[in-house]
Each structure stands twice: as structure tokens, then as C-alpha cells.
């Protein structure tokens, strides 16, 4: 079980879904890596679809992760580096 978030950039109009708690029970902690080739979020530093080595992680801010806010603005976009972004808590997943 974990939390699901939507990340949207108003500059380049990319829309991504982020997850928290994915893989927390495994030895390898999994992060939200952005793949610029596939333009999506993957959970390992190596994209399984295009085999690219990834280093850009989209972090979920503590304020939205702990649900003190349901919406956060001005997180950097992994595609265009703009700060015209919105991140919204979508709900829990199982």
C-alpha cells in the first residue's frame, strides 16, 4: 500500500504519475526516475523499456507526502526544468 500523486508541468504539459512506498519491502529502495526517452516514470535507475541509464529523480515533497498540503507548486520539471508545475495527491493505492 502507498500513495499516488500526479505531477503536471504547465510549461511543457507533461503529466506523470508518481508513487510512494513502491518497493519499500525489498532490499533495493525504489525511486521515481524520469526516463527522457520514454517520457515516463520508472522505478529503477535503468529503464527496462529502452535500457537507458537514468539519474533524474522526481521527488515528492514532504509537505504533500505527509498530507499537510494536497497540492504543491513550483517543483522542478524533469523534462524542461521549469518551476511552473503542480503536484497533486491522488489517493492511496493497494
Amino acid at each position: 500500500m502507498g500513495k499516488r500523486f500526479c505531477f503536471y508541468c504547465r510549461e511543457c504539459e507533461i503529466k506523470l504519475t508518481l508513487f510512494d512506498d513502491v518497493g519499500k519491502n525489498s532490499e533495493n529502495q525504489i525511486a521515481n526516475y524520469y526516463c527522457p526517452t520514454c517520457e515516463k516514470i520508472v522505478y529503477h535507475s535503468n529503464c527496462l523499456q529502452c535500457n537507458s541509464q537514468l539519474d533524474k529523480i522526481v521527488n515528492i515533497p514532504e509537505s504533500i507526502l505527509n498530507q499537510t498540503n494536497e497540492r504543491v507548486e513550483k517543483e522542478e520539471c524533469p523534462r524542461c526544468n521549469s518551476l511552473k508545475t503542480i503536484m497533486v495527491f491522488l489517493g492511496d493505492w493497494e
Side-chain angles (χ1 to χ4, degrees):
M1 188 163 154
K3 298 176 183 177
R4 192 167 49 107
F5 301 88
C6 177
F7 179 93
Y8 177 72
C9 178
R10 293 175 286 177
E11 189 77 30
C12 68
E13 298 186 346
I14 192 168
K15 186 176 182 181
L16 305 169
T17 301
L18 309 176
F19 290 92
D20 180 55
D21 278 350
V22 173
K24 291 257 175 125
N25 293 331
S26 68
E27 291 179 10
N28 299 325
Q29 295 296 311
I30 298 172
N32 290 293
Y33 287 93
Y34 174 69
C35 178
T37 306
C38 301
E39 292 194 338
K40 65 178 189 176
I41 294 291
V42 297
Y43 304 104
H44 297 278
S45 61
N46 193 28
C47 181
L48 300 177
Q49 189 169 347
C50 69
N51 209 28
S52 297
Q53 187 68 29
L54 308 173
D55 59 358
K56 209 169 234 189
I57 297 174
V58 182
N59 291 310
I60 302 168
E62 287 292 324
S63 62
I64 195 169
L65 195 57
N66 296 327
Q67 293 186 12
T68 55
N69 291 326
E70 290 191 14
R71 174 177 162 156
V72 172
E73 297 187 15
K74 296 189 179 176
E75 292 298 312
E76 185 175 306
C77 177
R79 181 205 249 173
C80 69
N81 299 324
S82 169
L83 293 177
K84 295 181 180 178
T85 61
I86 299 172
M87 192 176 305
V88 179
F89 174 66
L90 296 177
D92 294 320
W93 62 276
E94 297 198 29

